[in-house]
Amino acid sequence: MNTARQLRDKLDHARQLLDAGEPTLTDLAATVGLSASHLQRQFGARFGLSPAEYLAQRKLGTLKVALREGNDVSAALYDAGYGSPSRVYEGGAAKLGMTPARYRAGGAGEQIRWSIAATALGQALVATTERGVCMIELGEDADALEARLHEEFPQAQLERVDAGRDEFLAPRLHSVADALAGKQAQVPVDLIGTAFQKKVWDALMKIPRGETRSYAEVALAIGQPRATRAVASACAGNHLAIVVPCHRVIRGDGSLGGYRWGLPMKQKVLAREKAA
């Protein structure tokens, strides 16, 4: 068996151990027969996450499934491997973005105000929590837009505000409309995702208007040069059209790649930004 294959097998074994329990980096390295530093570096290169980040996201995924199934919050926390509720949203490798009780079953207890407005890019559903805008969905079918919101937060307290006419939603809707029109706008956002997704989304928001980056360049910018596929996945998981500018990420050969809201929309926005 060649050396490269042996290394892959050891890394796959390490991932299996992380899926089955919570070994420390030292124990994990000793079990698979690598030094801790070598395992840390090679695991990140292969899977786009450090062992600690992989474990944290696995635990977070387990928690999300349990909460969405309606399980008791405390039981779900401890079953997922969290020692206390605060561990979910302390500084760490993965966070919910809202408390477990509010995320439970799709945002139960979370108050989300939303509206659908005509914008420069067509109809847009804009939804916001008390912390900031959590969803900007584009599309021509208002019912489909609303269905996407319900899919993401099926048990949140969703309040539709016609034409965004209230003191809370109106200024946020106005800022989003400006952003969709290609104007400079300050849009407060509530990014709900894993630590890796947020890291990618933060990197996207640093790409200057009129410029693009390849998926590989974004991976390099966040310090995980081999996480190209994970970066593409994070872009696909973005729910904040234009404001989190995943449209500015293209393939290494210069082709557009994919886009949640369709390639014609991506091409249109990129052309507009380049011209500006």
Side-chain angles (χ1 to χ4, degrees):
M1 183 181 298
N2 62 44
T3 302
R5 177 61 183 276
Q6 287 178 329
L7 177 60
R8 286 197 299 271
D9 287 347
K10 288 181 178 182
L11 295 175
D12 289 340
H13 185 202
R15 184 174 63 172
Q16 291 168 3
L17 292 171
L18 290 169
D19 286 336
E22 297 185 43
T24 66
L25 178 62
T26 300
D27 290 341
L28 192 64
T31 301
V32 301
L34 295 171
S35 70
S37 61
H38 191 51
L39 173 61
Q40 178 93 344
R41 184 170 59 256
Q42 294 299 325
F43 192 95
R46 179 163 171 76
F47 300 115
L49 300 167
S50 71
E53 290 171 332
Y54 182 90
L55 177 60
Q57 292 204 23
R58 190 265 293 170
K59 289 168 63 176
L60 182 63
T62 300
L63 175 62
K64 284 185 173 184
V65 170
L67 292 175
R68 291 215 173 197
E69 289 177 349
N71 293 354
D72 175 77
V73 172
S74 295
L77 284 167
Y78 288 102
D79 287 346
Y82 293 99
S84 68
S86 64
R87 294 296 299 277
V88 183
Y89 35 88
E90 285 175 348
K95 299 185 219 175
L96 276 174
M98 61 177 69
T99 65
R102 288 186 172 181
Y103 189 85
R104 180 184 182 185
E110 189 77 15
Q111 293 186 329
I112 297 176
R113 299 182 186 182
W114 65 280
S115 187
I116 294 178
T119 74
L121 298 179
Q123 289 195 108
L125 182 147
V126 180
T128 181
T129 66
E130 62 183 5
R131 296 172 297 278
V133 177
C134 62
M135 180 176 285
I136 303 171
E137 282 286 348
L138 305 177
E140 295 307 317
D141 187 331
D143 290 337
L145 291 174
E146 183 176 354
R148 292 177 197 167
L149 177 64
H150 283 274
E151 287 172 4
E152 184 66 19
F153 302 107
Q155 293 196 35
Q157 182 180 331
L158 302 175
E159 178 185 353
R160 180 167 187 173
V161 181
D162 288 338
R165 291 173 182 167
D166 76 357
E167 294 180 358
F168 181 83
L169 185 59
R172 292 162 176 79
L173 191 63
H174 181 74
S175 295
V176 170
D178 281 348
L180 298 188
K183 301 176 183 178
Q184 294 286 352
Q186 294 295 322
V187 181
V189 297
D190 184 9
L191 298 177
I192 299 173
T194 67
F196 181 82
Q197 287 176 318
K198 290 179 183 179
K199 188 185 295 185
V200 172
W201 298 336
D202 285 341
L204 301 188
M205 288 189 283
K206 294 176 183 177
I207 302 174
R209 183 177 306 190
E211 297 184 17
T212 59
R213 300 288 186 272
S214 69
Y215 295 102
E217 287 173 329
V218 174
L220 184 62
I222 64 173
Q224 298 188 21
R226 301 201 180 179
T228 303
R229 290 185 180 180
V231 166
S233 178
C235 290
N238 171 34
H239 290 282
L240 288 167
I242 310 303
V243 170
V244 176
C246 55
H247 61 277
R248 295 176 188 161
V249 187
I250 61 176
R251 290 176 176 162
D253 62 4
S255 60
L256 292 181
Y259 191 54
R260 179 184 179 88
W261 295 281
L263 291 184
M265 177 69 73
K266 185 172 186 175
Q267 188 172 31
K268 175 182 178 179
V269 175
L270 285 175
R272 182 182 69 184
E273 290 185 348
K274 186 175 182 180

